[in-house]
Amino acid sequence: MCGACGTQALGDWARPLTAEVAARSAVATAVTRLAGRRAGRIAVRPGGWSVLGVTGALAVCDTLTELVARVRADTGRPAGSEAATGPDAASGRLTLPAPDHRRGVVVALTPDRTAGTEGPAGTSLRTGPTETRTAVITPTPGTADTWTVRTEAEARAALKALADGPHATRHYLAGLTGVTAPWGAPAVPLYSGSAPDSAADLVVWVEWARQEGRFDDAALTVRVPLTADAGLDVEVRAGWVVRAVP
């Protein structure tokens, strides 16, 4: 998908932020600063980036998720490493997104809901490659923006769907109820103190730390400054970016 259009691709919460060449260049600088010498050479290309690794292998990355994953693999840092300590540079500003027309939804864990109902278009959501349970997202009658699930595993699957599935282009998380796990608690604001010129560093750090697994059992929010008076609110739960709205 073309990076100049600002359309959010599946699994790419940062696509609207990197619609401009200057924004993608800032991201490339931020990734290089965070990864160090073993990051290879990152170049901006239409719709994304290319990474020339230290071994000479060339990879094309269309999303921030792919870019961070590629560079992390090249650097050889294991999941959970403390290499990424937070944004402390000013690699550049990101694109101010267009108005977000997606709809917010509340995921409500209701163990005793009636079984056998169907979600939007009868969609069943898999909880992950190692789990066999499926989650059927079911709108609460009269409240189209509430999804009901029966278990915490299904609630986690609903979050995954909002971050990395067809629902990501139509919905974002507006609330989560009934979950007792830490990732279901009220989100903790992550104060960054960043200025717009550090927006790329903050977004790259969030994605890097997310892929390291730091947020797998957490709920947090971070405000990404885009201009002096505008920004993006990002919410991460259970390791997924479930909300990224102006």
Side-chain angles (χ1 to χ4, degrees), residues 47-139:
W49 304 265
S50 63
V51 181
L52 181 62
V54 293
T55 62
L58 180 66
V60 173
C61 304
D62 294 327
T63 68
L64 174 66
T65 301
E66 293 176 358
L67 176 62
V68 171
R70 177 69 267 165
V71 174
R72 287 189 64 241
D74 286 345
T75 60
R77 288 172 177 160
S81 77
E82 295 301 317
T85 57
D88 59 359
S91 297
R93 300 192 177 204
L94 298 178
T95 303
L96 181 65
D100 193 333
H101 298 294
R102 295 176 300 161
R103 300 180 64 178
V105 296
V106 175
V107 175
L109 195 161
T110 308
D112 59 349
R113 74 171 175 83
T114 303
T117 53
E118 290 186 337
T123 301
S124 293
L125 305 173
R126 299 191 61 177
T127 57
T130 61
E131 297 175 290
T132 57
R133 184 183 299 274
T134 59
V136 179
I137 289 180
T138 307

Side-chain angles (χ1 to χ4, degrees), residues 127 152-153 155-160 163 173 176 179 181-185 187 210 213-220 235-242:
T127 57
E152 290 194 352
R156 187 186 284 269
L159 298 185
K160 181 180 185 300
L173 185 72
L176 177 66
V179 174
W183 50 266
R210 186 190 73 81
R214 296 193 189 188
F215 309 141
D216 285 357
D217 203 31
L220 61 93
E235 181 173 343
V236 185
R237 286 184 180 273
W240 298 104
V241 176
V242 293

Side-chain angles (χ1 to χ4, degrees), residues 140-189:
T140 300
T143 311
D145 291 338
T146 299
W147 294 350
T148 58
V149 295
R150 292 174 295 180
T151 66
E152 290 194 352
E154 291 183 354
R156 187 186 284 269
L159 298 185
K160 181 180 185 300
L162 288 169
D164 193 34
H167 292 288
T169 60
R170 302 190 298 271
H171 304 100
Y172 62 86
L173 185 72
L176 177 66
T177 64
V179 174
T180 60
W183 50 266
V188 177

